[in-house]
Amino acid sequence: LNKHYIQTANLDFSTQNNLNNILVGKTTATKFSGTYNGNNCKIKNITLNKSGINNIGIFWYLSWDFQIKNIQFENISLTGNNYVGIFDDISGNGNTSLITNNSFSGITLVGNDYVGIASYVNNAKLQALSGTNISITGRHYLGGIAWYVSGYWVALDALTLNNIQIT
């Protein structure tokens, strides 16, 4: 999916009773490599309880040239097995792979292994991210912004977290 999107209004999922999954770039065949500009709007009130399922997130399989920016994530609760995060499985090319200017409030992430706002980051830039009231629960490989960061082109810059609990 090499597309470019601009969010024009808040997305409120509070009336959705049976959310199966909310994923942008769900498989290697549909990996996301475009731009998602949240336009400073909110994505809020999402609850996914998939305790036996791997790869639970909102943006999954971000690949090569992508930008995810200007989104306010609010009241998000994700429960899965392994790889649980708002952003899951980020494999970029470094120079043009960017998650920036996003905020997180009232986030609950629960899983066994590999749990964090970004559950896996390889060759991407994470910058100007802020969060408050974040709870991350799991068994192994837990992180606030990211549990795993690698690659030659990785950059973490201007990250601010307040009232975060990792257990």
Side-chain angles (χ1 to χ4, degrees):
L1 292 174
N2 189 2
K3 304 288 183 185
H4 305 279
Y5 301 95
I6 297 175
Q7 186 173 331
T8 59
N10 292 335
L11 299 175
D12 185 347
F13 293 89
S14 61
T15 61
Q16 304 298 313
N17 295 327
N18 296 310
L19 286 176
N20 184 31
N21 228 338
I22 300 173
L23 293 174
V24 175
K26 187 173 181 176
T27 68
T28 56
T30 60
K31 62 188 175 189
F32 184 79
S33 61
T35 302
Y36 189 100
N37 182 345
N39 204 27
N40 295 314
C41 294
K42 295 179 182 179
I43 295 176
K44 63 181 183 175
N45 300 319
I46 295 174
T47 299
L48 293 174
N49 188 355
K50 304 290 181 179
S51 59
I53 306 296
N54 291 337
N55 301 105
I56 300 299
I58 297 172
F59 290 91
W60 186 71
Y61 211 111
L62 303 174
S63 183
W64 204 245
D65 295 318
F66 66 84
Q67 290 188 14
I68 307 295
K69 59 186 179 181
N70 306 321
I71 306 170
Q72 298 176 41
F73 294 95
E74 185 177 287
N75 299 324
I76 310 288
S77 177
L78 306 176
T79 301
N81 187 35
N82 298 323
Y83 300 100
V84 177
I86 303 292
F87 309 105
D88 180 30
D89 201 351
I90 301 166
S91 296
N93 76 349
N95 283 333
T96 57
S97 302
L98 178 64
I99 295 175
T100 187
N101 198 37
N102 296 299
S103 66
F104 310 91
S105 176
I107 307 297
T108 301
L109 304 172
V110 179
N112 286 319
D113 298 331
Y114 319 114
V115 183
I117 295 292
S119 66
Y120 175 91
V121 179
N122 184 37
N123 287 323
K125 297 176 185 177
L126 301 166
Q127 66 184 31
L129 304 179
S130 64
T132 186
N133 298 323
I134 298 170
S135 174
I136 297 172
T137 303
R139 191 175 56 175
H140 300 108
Y141 313 113
L142 310 176
I145 291 293
W147 77 265
Y148 177 83
V149 178
S150 75
Y152 185 75
W153 290 104
V154 171
L156 303 174
D157 185 33
L159 309 176
T160 305
L161 295 177
N162 294 303
N163 194 20
I164 183 167
Q165 177 182 338
I166 300 175
T167 56

